[in-house]
């Protein structure tokens, strides 16, 4: 199982040495790619525990005197070896250390998710600082001469001069210069700084220019020394992190800061095995199937954040009630849960409001009053930004990135799913586009929902758009710039998904320029502190819709969209009857009502019977019994418009 490195026609051959592992070849393969010395001996202290745990551990190496093998040849040999293992259905995790991190990154760009995992330890990828440039201006030959006197791992310095002895100890110990010392003693450091680090980064940087969706990465662990005294590894990790996150699936990218000053932390008593086992490579939980219902403590913590907003906008919730004259009643009792729908999925489909401000109160209301999580499908970019700040409330309360795969799995599991087909285009709309739907023309979410006999509940929300003024957005400014400067015009982006369940998968993101309104909200006019209103319409059962019948799916899609528009229209008319839409009146009422704090008891679900205390009393709203049903109100409004036109 061991391949040695030798020379054929004067060219050094790259070797792959099996350190150990199960004899039957059943364990996952760990391939260690060394730092600039490329002997693979520096982290030997880690090898026994990895082998004892059942991993088949290999290391790649070259003769220490090799000064002929280029980065391209090295990368080609490693890729060929990896492809042979993958062809035999073996699962491979790459561990790249220092320069080996650059080489491992190159392999991940070529092989992607054919690899099981990627571990980068203080990778010398040249993003924050190019090591060949930082060492280049220094006299490399004297530096190499200094390092030639450095001891091998565990050895003693041989300088006769006491000061030189101290310098070598500092370089080999604190700074982690052992790999460079091994390379320098054989005279290869000059060559490898240029032919490996410099040329390697040039090759990798070209590959990084490809679109991220063309080079998806496996689960990745980026380990970095907090106080690396040789290279700015921490700054390197900060620049490398977004590149990796863009290519990894949700939750499959992790950055771990090591409490170390060494550039070679694997040569210390660091527990690499534990770090691997706890990483997303081996301890990953699928955000869809591995989701765990939030605890009461998590719900209370999240509710505190939502309550800060809710205390200003005082959300009102309505849902379908066939027995009411207005066919609506306050609360979410008219929205069936998956259990009430016969263990079938429930898909909530509605409009998105500016900056996603509507999400928090909506998700909390379902948790507290119905005991169910509405699993939101969020814009992938927003999920990545949230992960950069640590575990987010998005993930705690069930959100996953919007994608055909995720909506399929959620519906397959019989979940309650929250979908905004207009996606980021509605959440970051332009001026004059309040409450306008930007839904994709295709009906794919209806087809996949019909496949699982889902119940679709159309709903609408208003209020968030009235709390801000959208002055312009980046897409509009770009269009105006292109009119003035045609050379700035860009080609249209291609579709981001084969099944565009959301506009978020079909278009890029524009950033709105917003300002607060000039006045406070009143009963008849929008403004700062305008109230949030939500209305859930009559459920649409798709059990009799054939997902292969395109005309039936098109009709269901059109009906659902029309229902959402009717709910928006109804809410806009209904709130004119709400005396507590007025911010000052509502705040005065609720401050008095808050003297006796509200406590909501969760009626069902995993937290049944638990009490949520971070929930204030709300002012009453419009007189529901005096309102027309949404369809009738919509028809009446249309008739009124026609009458006005005839008068003109």
């Amino acid at each position: 199982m061991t391949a040695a490195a030798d020379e054929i026609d004067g060219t050094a051959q790259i070797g792959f040495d099996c350190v150990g592992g199960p004899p039957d070849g059943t364990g996952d393969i760990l391939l260690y790619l060394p730092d600039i010395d490329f002997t693979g001996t520096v982290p030997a202290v880690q090898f026994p525990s990895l082998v004892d745990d059942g991993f088949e551990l290999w290391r790649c190496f070259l003769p220490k005197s090799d000064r002929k093998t280029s980065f391209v040849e090295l990368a080609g040999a490693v890729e060929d070896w990896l492809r042979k293992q993958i062809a035999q259905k073996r699962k491979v995790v790459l561990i790249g250390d220092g320069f080996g991190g650059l080489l491992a990154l190159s392999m991940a760009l070529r092989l992607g998710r054919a690899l099981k995992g990627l571990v980068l330890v203080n990778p010398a990828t040249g993003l924050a600082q190019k090591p060949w440039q930082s060492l280049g201006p220094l006299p490399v030959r004297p530096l190499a001469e200094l390092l030639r006197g450095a001891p091998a791992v565990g050895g003693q310095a041989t300088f006769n001069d006491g000061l030189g002895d101290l310098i070598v100890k500092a370089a080999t110990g604190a700074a982690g210069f052992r790999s460079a010392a091994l390379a320098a003693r054989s005279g290869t450091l000059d060559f490898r700084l240029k032919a490996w680090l410099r040329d390697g980064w040039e090759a990798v940087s070209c590959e990084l220019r490809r679109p991220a969706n063309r080079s998806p990465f496996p689960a990745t662990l980026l380990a970095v020394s907090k106080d690396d005294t040789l290279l700015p590894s921490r700054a390197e990790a900060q620049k490398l992190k977004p590149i990796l996150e863009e290519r990894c699936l949700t939750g499959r990218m992790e950055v771990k800061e090591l409490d170390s000053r060494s550039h070679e932390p694997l040569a210390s008593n660091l527990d690499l095995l534990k770090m691997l086992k706890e990483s997303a490579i081996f301890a990953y939980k699928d955000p869809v199937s591995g989701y765990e219902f939030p605890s009461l403590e998590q719900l209370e913590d999240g509710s505190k954040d939502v309550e800060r907003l809710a205390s200003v906008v005082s959300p009102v919730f309505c849902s379908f009630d066939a027995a009411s004259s207005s066919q609506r009643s306050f609360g979410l009792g008219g929205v069936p849960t998956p259990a009430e729908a016969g263990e079938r999925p429930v898909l909530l489909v509605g409009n998105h409001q500016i900056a996603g401000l509507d999400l928090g109160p909506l998700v909390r209301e379902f948790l507290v009053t119905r005991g169910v999580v509405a699993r939101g499908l969020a814009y992938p970019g927003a999920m990545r930004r949230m992960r950069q700040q640590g575990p987010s409330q998005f993930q705690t309360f069930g959100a996953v990135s919007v994608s055909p795969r995720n909506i399929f799995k959620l519906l397959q599991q019989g979940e309650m799913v929250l979908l905004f087909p207009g996606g980021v285009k509605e959440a970051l709309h332009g001026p004059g586009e309040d409450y306008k739907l930007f839904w994709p023309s295709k009906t794919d979410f209806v087809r996949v929902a019909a496949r699982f006999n889902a119940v679709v509940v159309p709903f609408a929300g208003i209020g968030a758009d009235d709390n801000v003024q959208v002055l312009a957005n980046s897409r509009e400014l770009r269009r105006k710039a292109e009119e003035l400067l045609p050379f700035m015009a860009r080609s249209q982006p291609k579709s981001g998904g084969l099944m565009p369940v959301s506009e978020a998968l079909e278009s890029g993101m524009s950033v709105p320029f917003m300002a607060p309104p000039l006045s406070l909200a009143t009963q008849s006019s929008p403004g700062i502190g305008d109230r949030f209103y939500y209305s859930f319409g009559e459920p649409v059962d798709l059990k009799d819709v054939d997902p292969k019948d395109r005309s039936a799916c098109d009709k269901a899609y059109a009906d659902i969209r029309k229902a959402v528009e009717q709910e928006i229209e109804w809410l806009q008319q209904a709130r004119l009857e709400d005396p507590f839409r007025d911010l000052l009146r509502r705040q005065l009422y609720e401050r008095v009502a808050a003297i006796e704090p509200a406590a909501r008891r969760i009626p069902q679900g995993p937290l049944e019977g638990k009490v949520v205390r971070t929930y204030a009393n709300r002012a009453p709203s419009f007189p529901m019994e005096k309102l027309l049903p949404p369809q009738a109100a919509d028809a009446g409004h249309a008739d009124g418009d026609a009458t006005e036109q005839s008068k003109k």
Side-chain angles (χ1 to χ4, degrees), residues 258-592:
L258 308 176
D259 191 14
S260 172
R261 293 174 54 83
S262 173
H263 185 63
E264 295 165 350
L266 296 185
S268 67
N269 58 357
L270 169 75
D271 192 341
L272 176 60
L273 175 62
K274 181 181 178 183
M275 194 165 69
L276 277 174
K277 289 293 188 178
E278 293 177 351
S279 73
I281 301 171
F282 293 100
Y284 170 72
K285 284 187 177 180
D286 185 274
V288 176
S289 59
Y291 175 70
E292 295 181 0
F293 200 92
S295 65
L296 180 63
E297 292 73 23
Q298 290 174 318
L299 177 53
E300 289 280 21
D301 288 342
S303 188
K304 290 176 185 176
D305 295 335
V306 173
E307 188 59 28
R308 295 188 185 98
L309 173 64
S311 64
V312 177
V313 301
S314 307
V316 176
F317 296 89
C318 313
S319 60
F320 177 73
D321 183 356
S324 170
S325 59
S326 64
Q327 294 189 2
R328 294 293 180 274
S329 61
F330 291 115
L332 298 178
V335 182
T337 64
E340 294 168 347
E343 302 302 332
R344 292 188 293 154
V346 175
L347 181 61
L348 311 176
V349 180
N351 66 300
H352 216 350
Q353 295 185 68
I354 194 74
L357 294 174
D358 47 344
L359 274 175
L362 180 59
V363 172
R364 178 180 72 161
E365 195 71 13
F366 274 100
L367 270 163
V368 174
T369 66
R370 302 307 310 275
V372 63
V373 176
R375 305 289 305 275
L377 290 158
Y379 180 61
M383 294 293 289
R384 284 195 293 270
R385 283 191 294 276
M386 286 291 184
R387 288 200 306 275
Q388 290 173 12
Q389 302 166 7
S392 70
Q393 299 287 4
F394 270 34
Q395 294 161 295
T396 301
F397 295 106
V400 297
S401 296
V402 58
S403 71
R405 175 179 175 270
N406 283 343
I407 190 172
F408 184 95
K409 291 177 66 176
L410 286 168
L411 293 173
Q412 186 180 44
Q413 291 178 186
E415 303 263 15
M416 176 177 277
V417 184
L418 177 59
L419 173 66
F420 300 102
V424 70
K425 198 169 183 179
E426 284 178 8
L428 301 175
H429 62 70
E433 296 176 339
D434 297 359
Y435 309 123
K436 182 180 179 181
L437 301 186
F438 293 96
W439 289 18
S441 58
K442 297 181 181 179
T443 61
D444 293 301
F445 81 77
V446 172
R447 291 165 57 200
V448 71
R451 175 171 180 170
F452 296 107
N453 298 325
V455 175
V456 177
V457 182
F459 76 93
I462 66 171
D465 287 358
D466 298 296
N467 275 273
V468 299
Q469 293 184 88
V470 178
L471 305 177
N473 64 17
S474 58
R475 185 180 289 111
E476 179 185 3
L477 295 177
R478 178 84 192 187
R479 185 169 58 249
K480 290 181 179 179
E482 289 172 359
E483 292 174 358
L484 296 173
L485 305 170
F487 64 85
M488 291 184 63
R490 298 177 298 180
S491 59
Q492 293 298 316
K494 297 181 180 180
S495 173
L498 298 176
M499 188 178 71
V501 294
S502 167
E503 183 69 21
L505 296 177
E506 289 206 311
S507 63
M509 182 175 67
S510 65
V511 180
F513 296 87
M514 299 179 289
L518 300 178
S519 60
L520 301 179
T522 67
Q523 183 175 356
S524 59
S525 61
I528 297 173
D530 211 336
R531 199 165 192 179
F532 283 15
Y533 300 85
Y534 302 84
S535 180
F536 291 79
E538 183 175 2
V540 178
D541 197 329
L542 297 182
K543 67 179 180 180
D544 295 326
V545 176
D546 183 355
K548 297 180 181 179
D549 187 339
R550 188 169 294 276
S551 62
C553 291
D554 288 347
K555 183 180 184 306
Y557 182 88
D559 290 345
I560 292 167
R561 176 174 178 142
K562 181 64 175 176
V564 172
E565 292 172 335
Q566 288 174 337
E567 296 298 326
I568 294 174
E569 180 93 19
W570 183 79
L571 285 173
Q572 289 174 324
Q573 296 298 314
R575 71 177 176 179
L576 297 175
E577 306 298 325
D578 181 6
F580 289 102
R581 182 188 177 192
D582 184 291
L583 175 63
L584 296 179
R585 179 183 296 182
R586 185 173 73 248
Q587 287 294 307
L588 178 60
Y589 179 97
E590 292 183 354
R591 291 299 175 267
V592 174

